[in-house]
Amino acid sequence: MTPAAVAVLAGAQTLLPATTQAKTAASGFGRDEKKFVPVMITPFDSNSAIDYDRLSRLIDFYLKAGAKGFFANCLSSEMYFLTDQERIGLTRHVVKRVNGKVPVVSTGSFGDTLNAKADFARKIHDTGVDGVILISSHFADKEESDAVLMENFEKFLSQTGTMKVGTYECPNPYKRLLSPGVFKSLVANKRMIYHKDTSEDLKNIETKLEIAKGSQLEFYNAHTATAVASLQKGARGMSPISGNFYPEIHSWLCRNANDPSKKADLDWIQAEITRTEPIISKFYPLSSKYFLKKRGVPLELVCRAKAQTIPAEQMKILDDTYTTFLGWCERLGIKG
């Protein structure tokens, strides 16, 4: 067992000697603002090939809606249904289209071995992303301990130079939440700049936020129901699937979460998006493509993952949710 793995078990705060290289101001990391970062969906054409023209238009839509970053090649992107070449091509296109306006991160921990993961991560890094995201469950099997997880993280990091990295508690292949000991060790490494949290538990979120306080790591919450609370307690931003339906709402939350004068509206919209989350989650990500198409984003209703069609009764529910969304915008003063 390596020293870093032993350190996790002992509750130590170091993983590897941290690089001292700072991210440039242009990257967007480290700026003191709350950010909505969409977990991007992938537009496909009628033949299920990536539609790069529609992807460009989707990126422009996100930016207009207030996105302050992009998470490309994630679960919402149907990354497990893409080839390595498609994952790289998708990421490269996002970086090129964004053109430095906001930071871009992308999953880079694909591969059957740690060497293969490191090799793929380098390819993702070479697209120009600001951070390479590591899926926590890619680094240890479900039955393996945190010590094994940390040992594998350490080996991976030792092979990947000084590239900036982040973590994502992706539900697939299984959801591996980072324990406080693991999280503390990772945050201690200055290369670790990003975390997407899927714990859906405010106490867990509070613990991680306390660990990350004052560090270089930016914490993004995937859980809509704890959006306002997490932002008020120090999360850098939001990155939920509902951002692929009404990104303007999450941009508004990020701008106004700490404004006492907005408390009534914050409490109200938090209850509203919590109520609608189970509705929009059905048949996702196809449901988001249907919703965005209603909003004028020219997407084909084509997915490689999960549901291929949406029943008529669910379409009606999504139609009603769209009408509800328009009411939200009217109350909050959000212009289309």
Side-chain angles (χ1 to χ4, degrees):
M1 188 179 296
T2 64
V6 174
V8 172
L9 300 182
Q13 299 187 25
T14 57
L15 170 63
L16 292 171
T19 178
T20 58
Q21 294 179 342
K23 199 70 185 170
T24 63
S27 75
F29 284 115
R31 293 177 182 168
D32 187 20
E33 65 175 334
K34 303 293 185 182
K35 307 173 189 175
F36 162 63
V37 176
V39 281
M40 300 181 68
I41 57 175
T42 301
F44 296 109
D45 64 21
S46 57
N47 296 314
S48 294
I50 296 175
D51 190 323
Y52 286 101
D53 178 63
R54 284 183 167 89
L55 177 59
S56 292
R57 297 175 75 173
L58 178 64
I59 292 166
D60 295 345
F61 168 80
Y62 285 131
L63 287 170
K64 184 179 179 182
K68 299 297 183 182
F70 287 93
F71 189 167
N73 187 38
C74 58
L75 192 60
S76 290
S77 312
E78 304 177 66
M79 64 180 180
Y80 286 111
F81 296 84
L82 303 177
T83 65
D84 278 357
Q85 184 176 2
E86 287 175 324
R87 292 163 182 152
I88 293 167
L90 180 74
T91 303
R92 182 179 292 114
H93 185 89
V94 175
V95 170
K96 183 177 180 181
R97 184 71 178 187
V98 171
N99 194 30
K101 294 182 181 73
V102 297
V104 178
V105 298
S106 173
T107 303
S109 56
F110 285 96
D112 293 333
T113 65
L114 286 174
N115 287 342
K117 286 177 172 59
D119 181 63
F120 184 74
R122 284 188 285 270
K123 292 176 181 176
I124 289 292
H125 179 258
D126 288 345
T127 66
V129 293
D130 295 86
V132 177
I133 303 302
L134 314 179
I135 306 298
S136 53
S137 54
H138 284 181
F139 289 85
D141 292 335
K142 196 170 186 178
E143 68 278 2
E144 290 182 317
S145 68
D146 278 354
V148 172
L149 177 67
M150 283 305 306
E151 185 169 0
N152 287 332
F153 272 137
E154 178 187 9
K155 289 177 179 177
F156 172 89
L157 291 169
S158 71
Q159 296 181 54
T160 50
T162 60
M163 72 171 63
K164 303 294 186 179
V165 295
T167 48
Y168 171 23
E169 297 166 332
C170 183
N172 290 329
Y174 74 96
K175 184 186 285 193
R176 180 144 193 154
L177 300 180
L178 299 178
S179 68
V182 168
F183 193 67
K184 183 181 293 185
S185 291
L186 291 173
V187 171
N189 189 312
K190 294 300 187 293
R191 290 171 57 190
M192 189 65 60
I193 59 172
Y194 197 100
H195 173 68
K196 183 185 173 186
D197 194 87
T198 67
S199 64
E200 302 182 7
D201 179 89
L202 189 56
K203 288 186 177 180
N204 184 292
I205 290 169
E206 288 174 340
T207 298
K208 287 176 181 168
L209 287 173
E210 184 60 31
I211 291 170
K213 188 175 182 180
S215 76
Q216 76 292 334
L217 183 132
E218 297 194 355
F219 185 104
Y220 292 88
N221 186 12
H223 189 217
T224 295
T226 54
V228 173
S230 66
L231 289 168
Q232 291 176 342
K233 291 177 182 295
R236 179 50 58 93
M238 290 299 301
S239 201
I241 68 168
S242 54
N244 285 316
F245 294 78
Y246 25 80
E248 299 90 343
I249 299 300
H250 289 284
S251 294
W252 185 93
L253 286 171
C254 287
R255 288 195 306 272
N256 295 286
N258 289 316
D259 184 348
S261 71
K262 301 289 187 181
K263 185 181 186 307
D265 283 340
L266 286 164
D267 290 346
W268 170 75
I269 194 62
Q270 177 65 84
E272 286 291 288
I273 60 177
T274 300
R275 177 181 60 81
T276 56
E277 188 76 2
I279 296 172
I280 64 174
S281 297
K282 292 180 179 179
F283 304 97
Y284 183 80
L286 190 60
S287 57
S288 67
K289 295 183 179 183
Y290 176 81
F291 200 92
L292 289 178
K293 189 171 184 178
K294 282 186 67 67
R295 299 199 54 196
V297 184
L299 299 175
E300 294 280 354
L301 298 183
V302 178
C303 284
R304 295 183 186 177
K306 299 181 181 179
Q308 302 298 312
T309 59
I310 302 174
E313 59 270 23
Q314 185 62 23
M315 285 187 180
K316 175 62 166 59
I317 292 171
L318 290 171
D319 292 342
D320 292 342
T321 304
Y322 172 70
T323 301
T324 299
F325 159 68
L326 295 178
W328 296 346
C329 291
E330 183 176 357
R331 170 163 171 170
L332 298 177
I334 296 172
K335 306 298 182 183

